[in-house]
Amino acid sequence: MRVVLTVVLLIGSQLALARGAVHEYQLDNGMKLIVKEDHRAPVVVTQVWYKVGASYEHDGITGISHVLEHMMFKGTKNHAAGEFSRIIAENGGSENAFTSRR
């Protein structure tokens, strides 16, 4: 019984940590920051969401957001293909991109 109680308390404390408060800020340039601390693991996760995509595109340009997402990994005049991914990986990170209806 004592073991079961210990397990329940440990799981409950981890869930309480995961539910941490969410803080919202807005920068002078209009960018909205949402911060949620979770100290269960020594990692940092960042996400950048742009309000673009099918729900923001007008007739005639639908799909452009998805194309631009893919182009990000292809390189530019100043950055070779794969350089974005290499820089992220050298700093211990991994990148991904996706489009969504949200």
Side-chain angles (χ1 to χ4, degrees):
M1 183 64 175
R2 186 174 274 183
V3 172
V4 171
L5 181 58
T6 302
V7 170
V8 168
L9 289 174
L10 284 173
I11 291 172
S13 66
Q14 290 301 305
L15 290 174
L17 285 173
R19 281 192 216 126
V22 175
H23 306 280
E24 293 189 26
Y25 308 93
Q26 183 142 359
L27 302 181
D28 291 340
N29 65 4
M31 184 176 195
K32 181 178 180 181
L33 301 177
I34 301 173
V35 179
K36 180 177 185 284
E37 292 186 45
D38 182 344
H39 297 273
R40 293 176 297 166
V43 298
V44 174
V45 175
T46 61
Q47 294 184 7
V48 179
W49 292 58
Y50 298 96
K51 287 188 175 184
V52 296
S55 62
Y56 297 94
E57 295 171 347
H58 58 78
D59 289 341
I61 66 162
T62 56
I64 193 72
S65 299
H66 195 80
V67 169
L68 292 172
E69 169 200 334
H70 284 276
M71 289 173 64
M72 178 177 74
F73 298 102
K74 302 293 183 188
T76 68
K77 178 180 172 184
N78 297 318
H79 300 282
E83 187 173 352
F84 174 75
S85 299
R86 181 187 55 77
I87 291 169
I88 298 293
E90 283 178 357
N91 288 281
S94 62
E95 93 294 315
N96 191 9
F98 65 93
T99 54
S100 174
R101 294 187 183 269
R102 296 185 128 198

Coordinates of all heavy atoms in Angstrom, one line a residue:
M1 N 0.8 -1.2 0.0 CA 0.0 0.0 0.0 C 0.9 1.3 0.0 O 0.6 2.2 -0.7 CB -0.9 0.0 1.2 CG -1.9 1.1 1.3 SD -3.0 1.0 -0.1 CE -4.0 2.4 0.3
R2 N 1.9 1.2 0.8 CA 2.8 2.4 0.8 C 3.5 2.7 -0.5 O 3.6 3.8 -0.9 CB 3.9 2.1 1.9 CG 4.8 3.3 2.1 CD 5.7 3.1 3.3 NE 5.0 3.4 4.5 CZ 5.5 3.4 5.7 NH1 6.8 2.9 5.8 NH2 4.9 3.7 6.7
V3 N 3.8 1.6 -1.3 CA 4.4 1.8 -2.6 C 3.4 2.4 -3.6 O 3.7 3.4 -4.3 CB 4.9 0.4 -3.2 CG1 5.3 0.6 -4.6 CG2 6.0 -0.1 -2.3
V4 N 2.2 2.0 -3.5 CA 1.1 2.6 -4.4 C 0.9 4.0 -4.0 O 0.8 4.9 -4.9 CB -0.2 1.8 -4.2 CG1 -1.3 2.5 -4.9 CG2 -0.1 0.4 -4.7
L5 N 0.9 4.4 -2.8 CA 0.7 5.8 -2.4 C 1.9 6.6 -2.9 O 1.7 7.7 -3.4 CB 0.6 5.9 -0.8 CG 0.4 7.3 -0.3 CD1 -0.9 7.9 -0.9 CD2 0.3 7.2 1.2
T6 N 3.1 6.1 -2.7 CA 4.3 6.8 -3.2 C 4.2 7.1 -4.7 O 4.5 8.2 -5.2 CB 5.6 6.0 -2.9 OG1 5.6 5.8 -1.4 CG2 6.8 6.7 -3.3
V7 N 3.8 6.0 -5.5 CA 3.7 6.2 -6.9 C 2.7 7.2 -7.3 O 2.9 8.1 -8.1 CB 3.4 4.8 -7.6 CG1 3.0 5.0 -9.0 CG2 4.6 3.9 -7.4
V8 N 1.5 7.2 -6.6 CA 0.5 8.1 -6.9 C 0.9 9.6 -6.6 O 0.7 10.5 -7.3 CB -0.8 7.8 -6.1 CG1 -1.8 8.9 -6.1 CG2 -1.4 6.5 -6.6
L9 N 1.6 9.7 -5.5 CA 2.1 11.1 -5.1 C 3.2 11.6 -6.1 O 3.2 12.7 -6.5 CB 2.7 11.1 -3.7 CG 1.7 10.9 -2.6 CD1 2.4 10.8 -1.2 CD2 0.7 12.1 -2.6
L10 N 4.1 10.7 -6.6 CA 5.1 11.1 -7.5 C 4.4 11.5 -8.9 O 4.8 12.5 -9.5 CB 6.1 9.9 -7.8 CG 7.1 9.7 -6.7 CD1 7.9 8.5 -6.9 CD2 8.0 10.9 -6.6
I11 N 3.5 10.7 -9.3 CA 2.8 11.0 -10.6 C 2.0 12.3 -10.4 O 2.1 13.2 -11.3 CB 1.9 9.9 -11.0 CG1 2.7 8.7 -11.4 CG2 1.0 10.3 -12.2 CD1 1.9 7.4 -11.7
G12 N 1.4 12.5 -9.3 CA 0.6 13.7 -9.1 C 1.5 14.9 -9.1 O 1.2 16.0 -9.6
S13 N 2.7 14.8 -8.4 CA 3.6 16.0 -8.4 C 4.1 16.3 -9.8 O 4.3 17.5 -10.1 CB 4.7 15.7 -7.4 OG 5.5 14.7 -7.9
Q14 N 4.4 15.3 -10.6 CA 4.9 15.6 -11.9 C 3.8 16.2 -12.8 O 4.0 17.1 -13.6 CB 5.3 14.3 -12.6 CG 6.6 13.7 -12.0 CD 7.7 14.7 -12.1 OE1 8.1 15.1 -13.2 NE2 8.3 15.0 -11.0
L15 N 2.5 15.8 -12.6 CA 1.4 16.4 -13.4 C 1.2 17.9 -12.9 O 1.0 18.7 -13.7 CB 0.2 15.6 -13.2 CG 0.1 14.2 -13.8 CD1 -1.2 13.5 -13.4 CD2 0.2 14.4 -15.3
A16 N 1.4 18.1 -11.6 CA 1.3 19.5 -11.1 C 2.4 20.4 -11.7 O 2.1 21.5 -12.1 CB 1.3 19.5 -9.6
L17 N 3.6 19.9 -11.8 CA 4.7 20.6 -12.4 C 4.4 20.9 -13.9 O 4.7 22.0 -14.4 CB 6.0 19.9 -12.3 CG 6.6 19.9 -10.9 CD1 7.8 19.0 -10.9 CD2 7.0 21.3 -10.5
A18 N 3.9 19.9 -14.6 CA 3.6 20.1 -16.0 C 2.5 21.1 -16.3 O 2.4 21.7 -17.4 CB 3.2 18.7 -16.6
R19 N 1.6 21.3 -15.4 CA 0.5 22.2 -15.5 C 0.9 23.7 -15.3 O 0.0 24.5 -15.2 CB -0.7 21.8 -14.6 CG -1.5 20.7 -15.1 CD -2.7 20.6 -14.3 NE -3.0 19.2 -14.1 CZ -3.2 18.5 -13.0 NH1 -3.2 19.2 -11.9 NH2 -3.5 17.2 -13.0
G20 N 2.1 24.0 -15.1 CA 2.6 25.3 -14.7 C 1.8 26.4 -15.3 O 1.2 26.3 -16.4
A21 N 1.9 27.6 -14.7 CA 1.2 28.8 -15.2 C 1.7 29.2 -16.6 O 2.9 29.0 -17.0 CB 1.4 29.9 -14.3
V22 N 0.8 29.7 -17.4 CA 1.1 30.2 -18.7 C 1.1 31.7 -18.7 O 0.2 32.3 -18.2 CB 0.1 29.7 -19.8 CG1 0.4 30.3 -21.1 CG2 0.1 28.2 -19.9
H23 N 2.2 32.3 -19.2 CA 2.3 33.7 -19.1 C 2.3 34.2 -20.6 O 3.0 33.7 -21.4 CB 3.6 34.2 -18.4 CG 3.8 33.6 -17.1 ND1 3.1 34.1 -16.0 CD2 4.5 32.5 -16.6 CE1 3.4 33.4 -14.9 NE2 4.2 32.4 -15.3
E24 N 1.6 35.3 -20.8 CA 1.5 35.9 -22.2 C 2.1 37.3 -22.1 O 1.8 38.0 -21.2 CB 0.1 35.9 -22.7 CG -0.5 34.5 -23.0 CD -1.8 34.5 -23.7 OE1 -2.1 35.5 -24.4 OE2 -2.5 33.5 -23.6
Y25 N 2.9 37.6 -23.1 CA 3.5 38.9 -23.3 C 3.3 39.4 -24.7 O 3.2 38.6 -25.6 CB 5.0 38.9 -22.9 CG 5.3 38.3 -21.6 CD1 5.6 36.9 -21.5 CD2 5.3 39.1 -20.5 CE1 5.9 36.4 -20.3 CE2 5.6 38.5 -19.2 CZ 5.9 37.1 -19.2 OH 6.2 36.6 -18.0
Q26 N 3.3 40.7 -24.9 CA 3.3 41.2 -26.3 C 4.4 42.2 -26.4 O 4.5 43.2 -25.6 CB 1.9 41.9 -26.6 CG 1.9 42.4 -28.1 CD 0.5 42.2 -28.7 OE1 -0.4 41.6 -28.1 NE2 0.4 42.6 -29.9
L27 N 5.3 42.0 -27.4 CA 6.4 42.9 -27.7 C 5.9 44.2 -28.4 O 4.8 44.2 -28.9 CB 7.4 42.2 -28.6 CG 8.0 40.9 -28.0 CD1 9.1 40.4 -29.0 CD2 8.6 41.2 -26.6
D28 N 6.7 45.2 -28.4 CA 6.3 46.5 -29.1 C 6.0 46.3 -30.5 O 5.2 47.0 -31.1 CB 7.5 47.5 -28.9 CG 7.6 48.0 -27.5 OD1 6.6 47.8 -26.7 OD2 8.7 48.5 -27.1
N29 N 6.7 45.3 -31.2 CA 6.4 45.1 -32.6 C 5.2 44.2 -32.9 O 4.9 43.9 -34.0 CB 7.7 44.4 -33.3 CG 7.9 43.0 -32.7 OD1 7.2 42.5 -31.9 ND2 9.0 42.4 -33.2
G30 N 4.5 43.9 -31.8 CA 3.2 43.1 -32.0 C 3.4 41.6 -31.8 O 2.4 40.9 -31.7
M31 N 4.6 41.1 -31.7 CA 4.8 39.7 -31.6 C 4.3 39.3 -30.2 O 4.6 39.9 -29.2 CB 6.3 39.3 -31.7 CG 6.6 37.9 -31.7 SD 8.3 37.5 -32.0 CE 8.3 35.8 -32.3
K32 N 3.5 38.2 -30.2 CA 3.0 37.7 -28.9 C 3.9 36.5 -28.4 O 4.2 35.6 -29.2 CB 1.6 37.2 -29.2 CG 0.9 36.6 -28.0 CD -0.5 36.2 -28.4 CE -1.3 35.6 -27.3 NZ -2.7 35.2 -27.7
L33 N 4.3 36.6 -27.2 CA 5.1 35.5 -26.6 C 4.2 34.8 -25.6 O 3.5 35.4 -24.8 CB 6.3 36.1 -25.8 CG 7.3 36.9 -26.6 CD1 8.3 37.5 -25.7 CD2 7.9 36.1 -27.7
I34 N 4.3 33.5 -25.6 CA 3.6 32.6 -24.6 C 4.6 31.8 -24.0 O 5.4 31.0 -24.7 CB 2.5 31.7 -25.3 CG1 1.5 32.6 -26.0 CG2 1.8 30.8 -24.3 CD1 0.5 31.8 -26.9
V35 N 4.8 31.9 -22.7 CA 5.8 31.2 -21.9 C 5.1 30.2 -20.9 O 4.3 30.6 -20.1 CB 6.7 32.1 -21.2 CG1 7.8 31.4 -20.4 CG2 7.4 33.1 -22.1
K36 N 5.6 29.0 -21.0 CA 5.1 28.0 -20.0 C 6.3 27.2 -19.5 O 7.0 26.5 -20.2 CB 4.1 27.0 -20.7 CG 3.6 26.0 -19.7 CD 2.6 25.1 -20.3 CE 1.9 24.1 -19.3 NZ 2.8 23.0 -19.0
E37 N 6.6 27.4 -18.2 CA 7.8 26.7 -17.6 C 7.4 25.3 -17.2 O 6.3 25.1 -16.8 CB 8.2 27.5 -16.4 CG 8.9 28.8 -16.7 CD 9.5 29.5 -15.5 OE1 10.2 28.8 -14.7 OE2 9.2 30.7 -15.3
D38 N 8.3 24.4 -17.4 CA 8.1 23.0 -17.1 C 9.5 22.5 -16.7 O 10.4 22.3 -17.6 CB 7.5 22.2 -18.2 CG 7.3 20.7 -17.9 OD1 7.9 20.3 -16.8 OD2 6.6 20.1 -18.6
H39 N 9.8 22.3 -15.5 CA 11.2 22.0 -15.0 C 11.4 20.5 -14.8 O 12.3 20.1 -14.2 CB 11.4 22.7 -13.7 CG 11.4 24.2 -13.8 ND1 12.5 24.9 -14.2 CD2 10.4 25.1 -13.7 CE1 12.2 26.2 -14.2 NE2 10.9 26.3 -13.9
R40 N 10.6 19.7 -15.5 CA 10.8 18.2 -15.4 C 12.0 17.7 -16.1 O 12.5 16.6 -15.8 CB 9.5 17.5 -15.9 CG 8.3 17.7 -15.0 CD 7.1 17.0 -15.6 NE 6.8 17.6 -16.9 CZ 6.0 17.1 -17.8 NH1 5.4 15.9 -17.5 NH2 5.8 17.7 -19.0
A41 N 12.5 18.4 -17.1 CA 13.7 18.0 -17.8 C 14.5 19.3 -18.2 O 14.0 20.3 -18.4 CB 13.3 17.3 -19.1
P42 N 15.9 19.1 -18.2 CA 16.7 20.3 -18.5 C 16.8 20.6 -20.0 O 17.9 20.4 -20.6 CB 18.1 19.8 -17.9 CG 18.1 18.4 -18.1 CD 16.6 17.9 -17.9
V43 N 15.7 20.9 -20.6 CA 15.6 21.2 -22.0 C 14.9 22.5 -22.2 O 14.1 23.0 -21.4 CB 15.0 20.1 -22.8 CG1 15.7 18.8 -22.7 CG2 13.5 19.9 -22.4
V44 N 15.1 23.1 -23.4 CA 14.3 24.3 -23.8 C 13.7 24.0 -25.2 O 14.3 23.4 -26.1 CB 15.3 25.5 -24.0 CG1 14.5 26.7 -24.5 CG2 15.9 25.9 -22.6
V45 N 12.5 24.3 -25.3 CA 11.7 24.2 -26.6 C 11.2 25.5 -27.0 O 10.6 26.2 -26.2 CB 10.6 23.2 -26.4 CG1 9.8 23.1 -27.7 CG2 11.1 21.8 -26.0
T46 N 11.4 25.9 -28.2 CA 10.9 27.1 -28.8 C 10.1 26.8 -30.0 O 10.4 25.9 -30.7 CB 11.9 28.2 -29.1 OG1 12.8 27.6 -30.1 CG2 12.8 28.5 -27.9
Q47 N 9.0 27.5 -30.2 CA 8.2 27.4 -31.4 C 7.9 28.8 -31.9 O 7.6 29.7 -31.1 CB 6.9 26.7 -31.2 CG 7.1 25.2 -30.8 CD 5.8 24.5 -30.6 OE1 4.7 25.1 -30.9 NE2 5.8 23.3 -30.2
V48 N 8.0 29.0 -33.2 CA 7.6 30.3 -33.8 C 6.4 30.0 -34.7 O 6.5 29.2 -35.6 CB 8.7 30.9 -34.6 CG1 8.3 32.2 -35.2 CG2 9.9 31.2 -33.7
W49 N 5.3 30.6 -34.4 CA 4.1 30.4 -35.2 C 3.8 31.7 -35.9 O 3.7 32.8 -35.3 CB 2.9 30.1 -34.3 CG 3.0 28.7 -33.7 CD1 4.0 28.3 -32.9 CD2 2.1 27.6 -33.8 NE1 3.8 27.0 -32.5 CE2 2.6 26.6 -33.1 CE3 0.9 27.5 -34.5 CZ2 1.9 25.4 -33.0 CZ3 0.2 26.3 -34.4 CH2 0.8 25.2 -33.6
Y50 N 3.5 31.7 -37.2 CA 3.2 32.8 -38.0 C 1.7 32.7 -38.4 O 1.3 31.6 -38.8 CB 4.0 32.9 -39.3 CG 5.5 33.1 -39.0 CD1 6.4 32.0 -39.0 CD2 6.0 34.4 -38.7 CE1 7.7 32.2 -38.7 CE2 7.4 34.5 -38.5 CZ 8.2 33.4 -38.5 OH 9.5 33.6 -38.2
K51 N 1.0 33.8 -38.3 CA -0.4 33.7 -38.7 C -0.5 33.9 -40.2 O -0.9 34.9 -40.7 CB -1.2 34.8 -38.0 CG -1.4 34.5 -36.5 CD -2.4 35.5 -35.9 CE -2.7 35.0 -34.4 NZ -3.6 35.9 -33.8
V52 N -0.1 32.8 -40.9 CA -0.2 32.8 -42.3 C -0.7 31.4 -42.6 O -0.8 30.5 -41.8 CB 1.2 33.0 -43.0 CG1 1.7 34.4 -42.8 CG2 2.2 32.0 -42.6
G53 N -1.1 31.2 -43.8 CA -1.6 29.9 -44.2 C -2.9 30.0 -44.9 O -3.4 31.1 -45.2
A54 N -3.5 28.8 -45.2 CA -4.7 28.8 -45.9 C -5.8 29.7 -45.3 O -6.5 30.4 -46.1 CB -5.2 27.4 -46.1
S55 N -5.9 29.7 -44.0 CA -7.0 30.5 -43.5 C -6.7 32.0 -43.6 O -7.6 32.9 -43.4 CB -7.2 30.2 -42.0 OG -6.0 30.4 -41.2
Y56 N -5.5 32.4 -43.9 CA -5.1 33.8 -44.0 C -4.9 34.2 -45.5 O -4.6 35.4 -45.8 CB -3.9 34.2 -43.2 CG -4.1 34.0 -41.7 CD1 -3.8 32.8 -41.1 CD2 -4.7 35.0 -41.0 CE1 -4.0 32.6 -39.7 CE2 -4.9 34.8 -39.6 CZ -4.6 33.6 -39.0 OH -4.8 33.4 -37.7
E57 N -4.9 33.2 -46.4 CA -4.6 33.5 -47.8 C -5.9 33.9 -48.5 O -6.9 33.3 -48.3 CB -4.0 32.3 -48.4 CG -2.6 32.0 -47.9 CD -2.0 30.6 -48.3 OE1 -2.8 29.8 -48.9 OE2 -0.9 30.4 -48.1
H58 N -5.8 34.8 -49.5 CA -6.9 35.2 -50.3 C -6.9 34.4 -51.6 O -5.9 33.8 -51.9 CB -7.0 36.7 -50.5 CG -5.8 37.2 -51.2 ND1 -5.5 37.1 -52.6 CD2 -4.7 37.9 -50.7 CE1 -4.4 37.6 -52.9 NE2 -3.9 38.1 -51.8
D59 N -8.0 34.4 -52.3 CA -8.1 33.7 -53.5 C -7.0 34.1 -54.5 O -6.6 35.2 -54.5 CB -9.4 33.9 -54.2 CG -10.6 33.3 -53.5 OD1 -10.4 32.3 -52.7 OD2 -11.8 33.7 -53.7
G60 N -6.4 33.1 -55.1 CA -5.3 33.4 -56.0 C -3.9 33.1 -55.5 O -2.9 32.9 -56.2
I61 N -3.8 33.0 -54.1 CA -2.5 32.7 -53.6 C -2.5 31.5 -52.6 O -1.6 31.3 -51.8 CB -1.8 33.9 -52.8 CG1 -2.7 34.3 -51.6 CG2 -1.6 35.1 -53.8 CD1 -1.9 35.2 -50.6
T62 N -3.6 30.8 -52.6 CA -3.8 29.7 -51.7 C -2.6 28.7 -51.9 O -2.3 28.4 -53.1 CB -5.1 29.0 -51.8 OG1 -5.3 28.6 -53.1 CG2 -6.2 29.9 -51.4
G63 N -2.0 28.2 -50.9 CA -0.9 27.2 -50.9 C 0.4 27.9 -50.9 O 1.4 27.2 -50.7
I64 N 0.5 29.2 -51.0 CA 1.8 29.9 -50.9 C 2.5 29.6 -49.6 O 3.8 29.5 -49.6 CB 1.7 31.4 -51.3 CG1 3.0 32.0 -51.6 CG2 1.0 32.1 -50.2 CD1 3.6 31.6 -52.9
S65 N 1.8 29.6 -48.5 CA 2.5 29.4 -47.2 C 3.2 28.1 -47.2 O 4.3 27.9 -46.6 CB 1.4 29.5 -46.1 OG 0.8 30.8 -46.1
H66 N 2.5 27.0 -47.7 CA 3.1 25.7 -47.7 C 4.3 25.7 -48.6 O 5.3 25.0 -48.2 CB 2.0 24.7 -48.1 CG 2.4 23.3 -47.8 ND1 2.3 22.7 -46.6 CD2 3.0 22.3 -48.6 CE1 2.7 21.5 -46.6 NE2 3.2 21.2 -47.8
V67 N 4.3 26.3 -49.7 CA 5.4 26.4 -50.6 C 6.6 27.1 -49.9 O 7.7 26.6 -49.9 CB 5.1 27.1 -51.9 CG1 6.3 27.4 -52.7 CG2 4.1 26.3 -52.7
L68 N 6.3 28.2 -49.3 CA 7.4 28.9 -48.6 C 8.0 28.1 -47.4 O 9.2 28.2 -47.2 CB 6.9 30.3 -48.0 CG 6.5 31.3 -49.1 CD1 5.8 32.5 -48.5 CD2 7.7 31.7 -49.9
E69 N 7.2 27.3 -46.8 CA 7.7 26.5 -45.7 C 8.7 25.5 -46.2 O 9.8 25.3 -45.7 CB 6.5 25.7 -45.1 CG 6.9 24.6 -44.2 CD 5.8 23.5 -44.0 OE1 4.6 23.9 -44.1 OE2 6.1 22.4 -43.7
H70 N 8.4 24.9 -47.4 CA 9.4 24.0 -48.0 C 10.6 24.7 -48.5 O 11.7 24.1 -48.4 CB 8.7 23.2 -49.1 CG 7.8 22.1 -48.6 ND1 8.2 20.9 -48.2 CD2 6.5 22.1 -48.4 CE1 7.2 20.1 -47.8 NE2 6.1 20.9 -47.8
M71 N 10.4 25.8 -49.0 CA 11.6 26.6 -49.6 C 12.6 27.0 -48.5 O 13.8 27.1 -48.7 CB 11.1 27.8 -50.3 CG 10.4 27.5 -51.6 SD 9.7 29.0 -52.3 CE 11.1 30.0 -52.7
M72 N 12.1 27.1 -47.2 CA 13.0 27.5 -46.1 C 14.2 26.5 -46.0 O 15.3 26.9 -45.6 CB 12.2 27.5 -44.8 CG 13.0 27.8 -43.6 SD 12.0 27.9 -42.1 CE 11.6 26.2 -41.8
F73 N 14.0 25.3 -46.3 CA 15.0 24.2 -46.2 C 15.8 24.1 -47.4 O 16.8 23.4 -47.4 CB 14.4 22.9 -45.8 CG 13.6 23.0 -44.5 CD1 12.2 23.0 -44.5 CD2 14.3 22.9 -43.3 CE1 11.6 23.1 -43.3 CE2 13.7 23.0 -42.1 CZ 12.3 23.1 -42.1
K74 N 15.5 24.7 -48.5 CA 16.2 24.6 -49.8 C 17.4 25.5 -50.0 O 18.2 25.4 -50.8 CB 15.2 24.8 -51.0 CG 14.0 23.9 -51.0 CD 14.4 22.5 -51.2 CE 13.2 21.6 -51.3 NZ 13.5 20.2 -51.4
G75 N 17.5 26.5 -49.1 CA 18.6 27.5 -49.2 C 18.2 28.8 -49.9 O 17.1 28.9 -50.5
T76 N 19.0 29.8 -49.8 CA 18.8 31.1 -50.4 C 20.1 31.5 -51.1 O 21.1 30.8 -51.1 CB 18.4 32.1 -49.3 OG1 19.6 32.3 -48.5 CG2 17.2 31.7 -48.5
K77 N 20.0 32.7 -51.6 CA 21.2 33.3 -52.3 C 22.4 33.4 -51.3 O 23.5 33.1 -51.7 CB 20.8 34.7 -52.8 CG 21.9 35.5 -53.4 CD 21.4 36.8 -53.8 CE 22.6 37.7 -54.3 NZ 22.1 39.1 -54.7
N78 N 22.1 33.6 -50.1 CA 23.1 33.8 -49.0 C 23.4 32.6 -48.2 O 24.3 32.6 -47.4 CB 22.8 35.0 -48.2 CG 22.8 36.3 -48.9 OD1 23.7 36.5 -49.8 ND2 21.8 37.1 -48.7
H79 N 22.5 31.6 -48.2 CA 22.6 30.4 -47.4 C 22.4 29.2 -48.2 O 21.3 29.0 -48.8 CB 21.6 30.5 -46.2 CG 21.8 31.7 -45.3 ND1 22.8 31.8 -44.4 CD2 21.1 32.9 -45.3 CE1 22.7 33.0 -43.8 NE2 21.7 33.7 -44.4
A80 N 23.3 28.3 -48.2 CA 23.3 27.1 -49.0 C 22.1 26.1 -48.4 O 21.7 26.2 -47.3 CB 24.6 26.3 -48.9
A81 N 21.7 25.3 -49.3 CA 20.7 24.3 -48.9 C 21.2 23.5 -47.7 O 22.4 23.1 -47.7 CB 20.3 23.4 -50.1
G82 N 20.4 23.3 -46.7 CA 20.8 22.5 -45.5 C 21.6 23.3 -44.5 O 21.8 22.8 -43.4
E83 N 21.9 24.6 -44.8 CA 22.7 25.4 -43.8 C 21.8 25.7 -42.6 O 22.3 25.6 -41.5 CB 23.2 26.7 -44.4 CG 24.1 27.5 -43.5 CD 24.7 28.7 -44.2 OE1 24.6 28.8 -45.4 OE2 25.3 29.4 -43.5
F84 N 20.6 26.0 -42.8 CA 19.6 26.2 -41.7 C 19.6 25.0 -40.7 O 19.8 25.2 -39.5 CB 18.2 26.5 -42.3 CG 17.2 26.7 -41.2 CD1 17.1 27.8 -40.5 CD2 16.2 25.7 -41.0 CE1 16.0 27.9 -39.5 CE2 15.2 25.8 -40.1 CZ 15.1 26.9 -39.3
S85 N 19.4 23.9 -41.3 CA 19.4 22.6 -40.5 C 20.7 22.4 -39.8 O 20.8 22.0 -38.6 CB 19.0 21.4 -41.3 OG 17.8 21.6 -41.9
R86 N 21.8 22.7 -40.5 CA 23.2 22.4 -39.9 C 23.4 23.4 -38.7 O 23.9 22.9 -37.6 CB 24.2 22.7 -41.0 CG 25.7 22.5 -40.4 CD 26.7 22.9 -41.5 NE 26.6 24.2 -41.9 CZ 27.0 25.3 -41.2 NH1 27.5 25.2 -40.0 NH2 26.8 26.5 -41.7
I87 N 23.0 24.6 -38.8 CA 23.2 25.6 -37.7 C 22.4 25.2 -36.5 O 22.9 25.2 -35.4 CB 22.9 27.0 -38.2 CG1 23.9 27.5 -39.2 CG2 22.8 28.0 -37.0 CD1 23.5 28.8 -39.9
I88 N 21.2 24.8 -36.8 CA 20.3 24.3 -35.6 C 20.9 23.1 -35.0 O 21.0 23.0 -33.7 CB 18.9 24.0 -36.1 CG1 18.2 25.3 -36.7 CG2 18.0 23.4 -35.1 CD1 17.9 26.4 -35.8
A89 N 21.4 22.1 -35.8 CA 21.9 20.9 -35.2 C 23.2 21.2 -34.5 O 23.5 20.6 -33.4 CB 22.2 19.9 -36.3
E90 N 24.1 22.1 -35.0 CA 25.3 22.4 -34.3 C 25.1 23.0 -32.9 O 25.9 22.9 -32.0 CB 26.2 23.4 -35.1 CG 26.9 22.8 -36.3 CD 27.6 23.8 -37.1 OE1 27.6 25.0 -36.8 OE2 28.3 23.4 -38.1
N91 N 23.9 23.6 -32.7 CA 23.6 24.1 -31.4 C 22.7 23.2 -30.6 O 22.1 23.6 -29.6 CB 22.9 25.5 -31.7 CG 23.9 26.5 -32.1 OD1 24.6 27.1 -31.3 ND2 23.9 26.8 -33.4
G92 N 22.7 21.9 -31.0 CA 22.0 20.9 -30.2 C 20.5 20.9 -30.4 O 19.8 20.2 -29.7
G93 N 20.0 21.5 -31.5 CA 18.6 21.5 -31.7 C 18.2 20.7 -32.9 O 19.0 20.1 -33.6
S94 N 16.9 20.6 -33.2 CA 16.4 20.0 -34.4 C 15.2 20.9 -34.8 O 14.5 21.5 -34.0 CB 15.9 18.6 -34.1 OG 14.9 18.6 -33.2
E95 N 15.0 21.0 -36.1 CA 13.9 21.8 -36.6 C 12.9 21.0 -37.4 O 13.1 19.9 -37.8 CB 14.5 22.9 -37.5 CG 14.6 22.6 -39.0 CD 15.5 21.5 -39.4 OE1 16.6 21.4 -39.0 OE2 15.1 20.7 -40.2
N96 N 11.8 21.6 -37.5 CA 10.7 21.0 -38.2 C 9.8 22.2 -38.6 O 9.7 23.2 -37.9 CB 9.9 20.0 -37.4 CG 9.0 19.2 -38.2 OD1 9.0 19.3 -39.4 ND2 8.1 18.4 -37.6
A97 N 9.0 22.0 -39.6 CA 8.0 23.0 -40.0 C 6.8 22.3 -40.4 O 6.8 21.1 -40.9 CB 8.6 23.8 -41.1
F98 N 5.6 23.0 -40.3 CA 4.4 22.4 -40.7 C 3.4 23.5 -40.9 O 3.6 24.6 -40.4 CB 3.9 21.3 -39.7 CG 3.5 21.9 -38.4 CD1 2.2 22.3 -38.1 CD2 4.4 22.1 -37.4 CE1 1.8 22.9 -36.9 CE2 4.1 22.6 -36.2 CZ 2.8 23.0 -35.9
T99 N 2.4 23.2 -41.6 CA 1.3 24.1 -41.8 C 0.0 23.4 -41.2 O 0.0 22.2 -41.1 CB 1.0 24.4 -43.3 OG1 0.8 23.2 -44.0 CG2 2.1 25.3 -43.9
S100 N -0.8 24.3 -40.7 CA -2.0 23.8 -40.0 C -3.2 24.7 -40.2 O -3.0 25.8 -40.7 CB -1.7 23.7 -38.5 OG -2.9 23.4 -37.7
R101 N -4.4 24.3 -39.9 CA -5.5 25.1 -40.0 C -5.7 26.0 -38.8 O -6.6 26.8 -38.8 CB -6.8 24.2 -40.2 CG -6.8 23.5 -41.6 CD -8.1 22.8 -41.8 NE -8.1 22.0 -43.0 CZ -8.4 22.4 -44.2 NH1 -8.8 23.7 -44.3 NH2 -8.4 21.7 -45.2
R102 N -5.0 25.9 -37.8 CA -5.1 26.7 -36.6 C -4.5 28.0 -36.7 O -3.6 28.4 -37.3 CB -4.5 25.9 -35.4 CG -5.3 24.7 -35.1 CD -4.7 24.0 -33.9 NE -5.9 23.8 -33.1 CZ -5.9 23.5 -31.9 NH1 -4.8 23.5 -31.2 NH2 -7.0 23.3 -31.2

